[in-house]
Amino acid sequence: MSISTDAPAMTQNVQVRTDPTGKPLAIRHNGQIWLVDPDTESQHQPGADACRTTRRAASVRGGELDTIESWRVQARLGSTSALRTFTLRREPLSNQWGLENISDGG
């Protein structure tokens, strides 16, 4: 059984390469590969919306409520390019990532 409230449309689907723990390492966006900077701290919000004002999507599995997973990471195109902050979202039990926001710096 699934329960779903209106979830915000993700701005754009992106491909994300992760390490074995699920932490993003690289993001393919608009045909370019952005590498997550290992010298910056990634912010993970398991089971939380990236923004509290957004609506939520959830699924019920075995009596537990799973909500959207969110990551905020800093990435760059090359070693000399400026850092950009990516806010990524992924629904539970899905391999598809969505890009919610990109901003300059941290």
Side-chain angles (χ1 to χ4, degrees), residues 10 12-30 32-36 42 69-73 75 86-90 94-100:
M10 292 187 191
Q12 190 171 37
N13 288 333
V14 292
Q15 294 176 322
V16 178
R17 183 180 309 158
T18 62
D19 70 9
T21 67
K23 179 182 174 183
L25 298 174
I27 304 156
R28 181 183 297 270
H29 170 61
N30 284 343
Q32 298 178 309
I33 297 177
W34 294 78
L35 299 176
V36 174
S42 298
E69 175 181 12
S70 175
W71 282 90
R72 186 173 172 180
V73 298
F86 286 71
T87 304
L88 305 167
R89 295 166 53 102
R90 184 171 58 147
S94 172
N95 290 324
Q96 183 60 55
W97 289 81
L99 175 62
E100 185 175 278

Side-chain angles (χ1 to χ4, degrees), residues 67-81:
T67 57
I68 295 171
E69 175 181 12
S70 175
W71 282 90
R72 186 173 172 180
V73 298
Q74 292 190 320
R76 62 179 81 225
L77 284 172
S79 61
T80 59
S81 71

Side-chain angles (χ1 to χ4, degrees), residues 54-70:
T54 62
R55 295 165 297 201
R56 302 178 81 154
S59 66
V60 174
R61 179 182 58 169
E64 294 181 22
L65 184 66
D66 292 326
T67 57
I68 295 171
E69 175 181 12
S70 175

